[in-house]
């Protein structure tokens, strides 16, 4: 994958050149992320589940989906950068917690937490 | 930042051990992302904007916020992996498009697209 | 349908008894709504589209879905009440606008806006 | 408030004239609701909390906010109608449950559930 640290460096320059960090408190960035997640959901809301993989490969919707995913990623990186959180480490920590929370033998083929 | 490719490798193992990829069509993953974004927003909904930076550093809320950010990141990585999209490249492409869409001189200090 | 004005009167009492209106500026209520919408989406994220109607009738998920729908409705009513907006009128106005935006003959069986 | 039953009757006609009920399974409608909630959040994401009430009264943003609230309301009514749920009753039931969950004396001025 393209290195995220390089992307983050570009993102910081983009924000600095526009003096936008004044708007980027963590509360506002959480809202940005939710609104971009909403736009991503909109791309799939009328697509049948069985067709969602193929839909994601068709050039026109794929370009829109990639742009919405990027917007979500930008919001997520901005938030992590703002609060000084290492996204990769946070995910690794959560996965470790989920290993215990969802034991493979009790969770196999069941998408929700075992009772 | 902790390398995202390493995290993605762990994430794939986690999903494979539970046979969860059957649930992870792109439509469902977009919904997962939206629901996790909603949980992240919930962490900030009663926090004043002026206090949101400090709130994000207090141990108890920070742990919850980090966990919610991780869940959003997991959903985002799962979706990118499912549709074969390079997240870092997608963000770099979107930033390049945004450079043209939001000219620095017309966008400085204005968070919305210039008319 | 149970009268919404009666429900709103109860909701106002509930909020007043807890002195919660101090938290309910429109920005925070929009966040509340988004987080509740995320919880509703979570109820359907692993359900197949073909099974979503039947799922919504099964007692256990139905009770959770009804509770999440109610939470979304509460957030929506609180926001409308806060900014002095007549929800029913707003919907009627939007439907009238949509009548022009989505002409029946061009929109029949197509869920998105005609090009 | 404008009667919601009247609005629902118009909404049913709108959908029927476009043959859109085929897209409106509960899963898709939950996604519609989440995407519309995201658009509503977008209206407030750069607004300061202290200015959110005044912002909601300025004609231009108010018109957009009213339209987004209407879209959320439409999605919510479509979902309730699809699964045969009385929205007003669901809200009344949830408020009754919340009365017990958030005792006034322990919840006064505290927006989160008492520990």
């Amino acid at each position: 994958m393209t290195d995220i640290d390089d992307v983050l460096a570009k993102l910081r320059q983009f924000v600095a050149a526009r003096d936008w960090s004044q708007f980027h408190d963590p509360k506002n960035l959480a809202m940005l992320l939710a609104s971009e997640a909403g736009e991503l959901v909109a791309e799939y809301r009328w697509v049948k589940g069985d067709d969602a993989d193929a839909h994601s490969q068709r050039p026109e919707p794929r370009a829109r989906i990639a742009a919405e995913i990027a917007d979500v990623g930008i919001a997520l990186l901005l938030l992590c950068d703002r609060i000084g959180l290492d996204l990769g480490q946070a995910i690794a920590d959560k996965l470790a917690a989920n290993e215990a929370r969802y034991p493979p033998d009790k969770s196999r083929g069941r998408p929700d937490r075992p009772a």
Side-chain angles (χ1 to χ4, degrees), chain A residues 54 65 80:
Chain A
I65 290 162
C80 290

Side-chain angles (χ1 to χ4, degrees), chain A residues 4 7-8 11 29 32-34 36-37 40 65-81 87:
Chain A
I4 298 288
V7 171
L8 178 57
L11 181 54
L29 290 175
L32 176 65
L33 200 156
E36 301 296 0
L40 179 60
I65 290 162
E68 300 304 347
I69 285 175
D71 281 337
V72 171
I74 287 170
L76 194 62
L77 289 181
L78 287 173
L79 177 55
C80 290
D81 200 39
L87 175 61

Side-chain angles (χ1 to χ4, degrees), chain A residues 93-108 110-115:
Chain A
D93 291 347
K94 191 69 198 295
L95 276 177
N98 282 353
E99 286 285 348
R101 198 178 178 201
Y102 301 92
D105 59 323
K106 292 190 181 174
S107 305
R108 191 160 293 123
R110 295 186 46 190
D112 287 310
R113 199 178 174 181

Side-chain angles (χ1 to χ4, degrees), chain A residues 48-70:
Chain A
K48 286 179 189 295
D50 290 345
D51 188 43
D53 283 299
H55 181 79
S56 308
Q57 301 303 329
R58 286 176 200 121
E60 284 188 32
R62 185 176 180 83
R64 293 197 309 269
I65 290 162
E68 300 304 347
I69 285 175

